[in-house]
Amino acid sequence: MAVLSEEQVMLQEAAKNWTREVAPVTAFRALRDSANREGFDRALWRQMCEMGWAGILIPESYGGSGLDYLSIGLVLEETGRTLTASPLLSTALVATAALLLAGNDRQKTEWLPKFATGEALGALAVDEGAHHAPQRVELTARQKGAAFVLNGSKSFVVDGATADLLIVAARSSAAPGDENGITLFLVPGTHPGLVRSPLHMADSRAAARLQFRDVEVMSDAVLGTVDKGFGVLDAILDRARAGLAAEMLGHAAQSFEVTLDYLKTRNQFGQLIGSFQALQHRAARMYTELELTRSCIEAALSACDRGSAEVPALCSLAKARAGDLVHLVSNEMVQMHGGIGMTDAHDAGLYLKRARVSEATYGSPAFHRDRYARLMGY
Amino acid sequence: MSDLESFRSEARSWLEANCPPSLRGTSGRPAQGEEVWGGRRQTYRNPEAKLWLERMAAKGWTAPTWPKAYGGGGLSRDEAKVLDSEMRRIGAAAPLLSFGLWMLGPVLLEYGNEQQKREHLPKIVRGEIRWCQGYSEPGAGSDLAGLRTRCEDRGDHYLINGQKIWTSYADQADWIFCLVRTDTSKKHEGISFILFDMATPGVEARPIRLISGSSPFCETFFTDVKVPKENLVGRLNGGWEIAKRLLQYERQNISAGGFGSGFGGGLELEDIAKKYVGEVDGRIADGDLRARVAEHRMQARAFALTVRRLADEAKSANGPSPAVSILKYAAARLNQERCELLVEAMGYQGLGWDGDGFSAAEVQAMRDMLRSKGNSIEGGTSEINLNVVAKRVLGLMDHQ
């Protein structure tokens, strides 16, 4: 754990207490088993907003508290522990970062105060195929006078069905695969011509497929600069990766601790199974990976806070390692629990499912290893 | 200007004036073959290395945080960090590599009596005496407390008989800090910690040739070795506590960068891979190797970030994190991977042992790979490290 400021310690404590008392894993399980198709509980989201979490990154002048990425990472780590489903990542971190990084005064004034209170939700629409590939944007943006017409589709948009504001990566010129020719647009979620279909994901969290059929927006909907959107998109994605990695760290820490508790309570052959060296060494290895990964994630978040040139490399490092970590720990959680871990009644399955979805979101470990190598010149 | 900032400018100008040119621009270690381990047998291939040691030792900066009374620099931890960062700034080589500095000194400061501190610490600071570590025995490796080297009280002296193994550089060392059995009826509570001169009659050190061709370790034999009674450190039969504390210092030192410092002619792993495998669009041509090189480099970055984070946490109000106990295991794994990848990347050229068919860097890569197998054995095997993490950090229990 990084050395925290007094304010950060208080925020972390508040998040710990709230998730434990109000939003434990049982709350997520109840949500999954309910008729709710939004993928999160609006009553819980309201409480999170009342505690100011939606506005952590938003400057005070726009109604937020002007804290930093390390701070929102602390909250995400706690909500990751209990699998709390909420728009915190998509709205308070990703969409907020998009506006902070590239929004003009008018755009910020319009959206940030509403994000800060949580009354508006945002989502980032990037990928179109089966894998994370931000350069391969194909959805077209054709200029028509002072307007742009968007046509195409987006797959796996996190919290896409409920978002009031979509940040859409579109191709305004050049061919798919080219970093040039990408433009970001701010598109209201209820815009005519936009069809949103919720996806029923294994982790029971919200994601949607979007269809754009002649969606016409005015040029003031452009976020940043026409054709030059990739740099901003990459910067937004890096913050998204660091934030998701923080959530995954909490997820991994919790699944590890639950498993460790089981090793200390389950008896076989007249022994606690945690006394078997085969399991002890695997537990010690998981702990090693957890500690190594924590350092990467904290370094990535604080690089975002400093606006360091190392943001891309450190965020790829954090996301790759977080992906490998939750993969390992979620598998071991099931295996070390034995048969009970295979049952739907046990939480291991919930962690396993969330692990697989978060591993792929914003780039798998393989994607980030390749990106890291590229960034380092090999 | 704060005190720390004025210390920084003072250290900077002193280093500017005193660090010889040939010892700058390094990674922190002197050039291979020019390391200074001190001791009676030390010879200097580079005369500037001698000058550098003398100047640093005169300031007490070979042991920056040790008290001035014992020849140290008397610096606070923060000042020592500043000194370290100023040395890094100019790439100053460590003036002295020394088990005395890394291992024995810290425990003497804690457990030694006044006379022992005054006798030994200043000589360590100045690099006059080179120390070796008498711990492992043929029958006591991972189960170190099973050691059997006998130390008997003969009235006015102790008499030592037995054998040590894996004694690093015993054939080069002047003195040994040694674990001996002073009570055969108990295991841990029958061990004492004692110091003696390797020139004492009855001491013999024989180098052991390793699979890598080098001989950094010895078998060390003690036959009726007479040791003055004042050389016992701490309490009789109280040596195990000191032994464990010293191991903590040893593991810290190993994990803080004691392993391999990147050979291969100054090239990084990815450059070596590009050179031997070829490039496509500026990338390592073999995608599978590239992915594994990236994975390794990311692990290395994660490790470096963790060393730094744990150092920061150690200075915070919460004190050191128990996570430090993962470092030795992680460092060993990392170095072994790096060495394997280097050999693999070099292909046939990485398989040479000697001779004209291979460059020095190629031969070194093979030998380093072989030598690195010891990283997960020496200073506590990886299995023992994992036991320690499982039991002390995670609270898992012993088998009944």
Side-chain angles (χ1 to χ4, degrees), chain A residues 61-255:
Chain A
S61 52
Y62 293 107
S65 47
L67 295 175
D68 54 11
Y69 285 96
L70 200 59
S71 301
I72 197 167
L74 295 171
V75 177
L76 285 163
E77 189 179 334
E78 296 307 319
T79 59
R81 277 184 174 268
T82 50
L83 300 173
T84 303
S86 83
L88 188 65
L89 181 70
S90 51
T91 298
L93 197 153
V94 183
T96 296
L99 286 161
L100 289 174
L101 288 164
N104 58 35
D105 286 347
R106 188 186 46 74
Q107 291 165 334
K108 288 198 267 195
T109 307
E110 184 178 358
W111 289 102
L112 289 179
K114 287 192 246 176
F115 285 167
T117 57
E119 66 181 281
L121 302 178
L124 177 67
V126 187
D127 292 321
E128 300 174 18
H131 289 273
H132 179 62
Q135 294 93 333
R136 291 214 205 117
V137 167
E138 284 187 44
L139 183 144
T140 55
R142 191 170 39 84
Q143 195 146 13
K144 182 183 151 194
F148 285 87
V149 182
L150 310 184
N151 274 291
S153 66
K154 291 287 174 187
S155 62
F156 192 59
V157 178
V158 176
D159 290 334
T162 47
D164 302 290
L165 177 69
L166 292 159
I167 295 142
V168 181
R171 182 150 299 281
S172 41
S173 69
D178 198 330
E179 292 182 3
N180 287 307
I182 291 174
T183 305
L184 300 178
F185 292 93
L186 301 181
V187 181
T190 53
H191 202 283
L194 174 60
V195 179
R196 302 193 280 180
S197 322
L199 293 166
H200 192 173
M201 305 294 296
D203 68 344
S204 307
R205 298 277 274 260
R209 179 171 291 142
L210 311 183
Q211 291 282 342
F212 291 74
R213 295 195 188 114
D214 292 328
V215 170
E216 197 171 317
V217 291
M218 299 308 290
S219 55
D220 62 3
V222 172
L223 180 73
T225 311
V226 174
D227 283 349
K228 300 284 175 220
F230 187 77
V232 175
L233 177 62
D234 217 26
I236 299 166
L237 281 168
D238 274 329
R239 281 137 187 97
R241 289 156 182 156
L244 178 57
E247 183 192 314
M248 293 162 80
L249 180 65
H251 170 135
Q254 183 68 19
S255 15

Side-chain angles (χ1 to χ4, degrees), chain B residues 63-366:
Chain B
T65 59
W66 293 7
K68 283 192 166 170
Y70 309 124
L75 302 186
S76 68
R77 276 182 173 279
D78 284 340
E79 287 170 333
K81 270 197 77 170
V82 168
L83 174 61
D84 187 57
S85 79
E86 286 304 314
M87 287 179 67
R88 275 171 204 266
R89 201 181 63 86
I90 60 167
L96 179 62
L97 308 176
S98 156
F99 295 163
L101 288 176
W102 303 329
M103 299 187 231
L104 178 63
V107 301
L108 273 189
L109 281 168
E110 192 171 348
Y111 296 95
N113 61 34
E114 190 57 30
Q115 191 199 334
Q116 289 166 337
K117 291 189 227 183
R118 290 196 180 276
E119 168 66 23
H120 298 296
L121 293 177
K123 292 179 185 168
I124 292 174
V125 170
R126 295 193 296 265
E128 287 171 14
I129 292 295
R130 181 170 181 178
W131 287 86
C132 64
Q133 176 186 24
Y135 266 40
S136 295
E137 297 182 7
S142 285
D143 182 13
L144 181 61
L147 61 94
R148 298 205 316 229
T149 292
R150 286 286 297 277
C151 174
E152 295 164 273
D153 189 338
R154 290 295 175 92
D156 64 337
H157 66 274
Y158 289 115
L159 193 69
I160 297 178
N161 278 286
Q163 181 190 348
K164 294 286 171 183
I165 194 166
W166 308 122
T167 329
S168 303
Y169 306 112
D171 55 334
Q172 314 282 327
D174 307 309
W175 275 64
I176 187 168
F177 48 92
C178 197
L179 294 181
V180 290
R181 180 149 303 285
T182 38
D183 185 342
T184 51
S185 68
K186 299 192 192 94
K187 191 172 180 183
H188 297 87
E189 294 79 30
I191 293 170
S192 297
F193 190 100
I194 199 164
L195 316 174
F196 54 93
D197 194 324
M198 292 290 279
T200 317
V203 177
E204 186 195 357
R206 292 183 205 153
I208 302 168
R209 187 175 162 83
L210 297 186
I211 52 176
S212 56
S214 67
S215 302
F217 303 107
C218 294
E219 290 179 288
T220 312
F221 300 90
F222 308 125
T223 313
D224 290 335
V225 178
K226 283 187 186 173
V227 175
K229 294 194 89 166
E230 65 264 26
N231 290 15
L232 184 81
V233 178
R235 198 164 49 72
L236 187 70
N237 296 322
W240 185 244
E241 183 189 338
I242 306 175
K244 281 195 299 184
R245 180 61 57 91
L246 189 137
L247 278 175
Q248 283 177 358
Y249 289 116
E250 178 180 9
R251 286 173 191 163
Q252 266 170 30
N253 182 58
I254 289 176
S255 45
F259 288 145
S261 38
F263 294 119
L267 293 176
E268 297 287 9
L269 177 56
E270 53 269 25
D271 301 321
I272 303 244
K274 279 185 181 176
K275 179 175 161 192
Y276 287 86
V277 174
E279 293 179 46
V280 176
D281 298 333
R283 311 193 73 191
I284 300 167
D286 176 341
D288 175 67
L289 180 66
R290 181 174 67 226
R292 288 183 293 121
V293 167
E295 164 70 10
H296 168 72
R297 297 290 279 165
M298 292 167 87
Q299 284 275 4
R301 191 74 194 271
F303 180 78
L305 289 168
T306 303
V307 169
R308 206 169 67 193
R309 172 169 70 88
L310 297 179
D312 286 345
E313 286 176 32
K315 286 179 308 189
S316 76
N318 298 331
S321 158
V324 292
S325 47
I326 69 169
L327 292 179
K328 200 264 172 180
Y329 161 68
R333 189 175 68 172
L334 202 58
N335 194 50
Q336 290 175 337
E337 272 168 16
R338 190 181 65 84
C339 291
E340 287 283 11
L341 282 167
L342 267 176
V343 168
E344 182 186 340
M346 288 177 173
Y348 295 135
Q349 290 307 117
L351 303 177
W353 183 254
D354 213 345
D356 294 339
F358 305 94
S359 71
E362 288 164 353
V363 168
Q364 194 66 47
M366 167 55 76

Side-chain angles (χ1 to χ4, degrees), chain A residues 25 269 367:
Chain A
V25 187
F269 305 102
F367 173 93

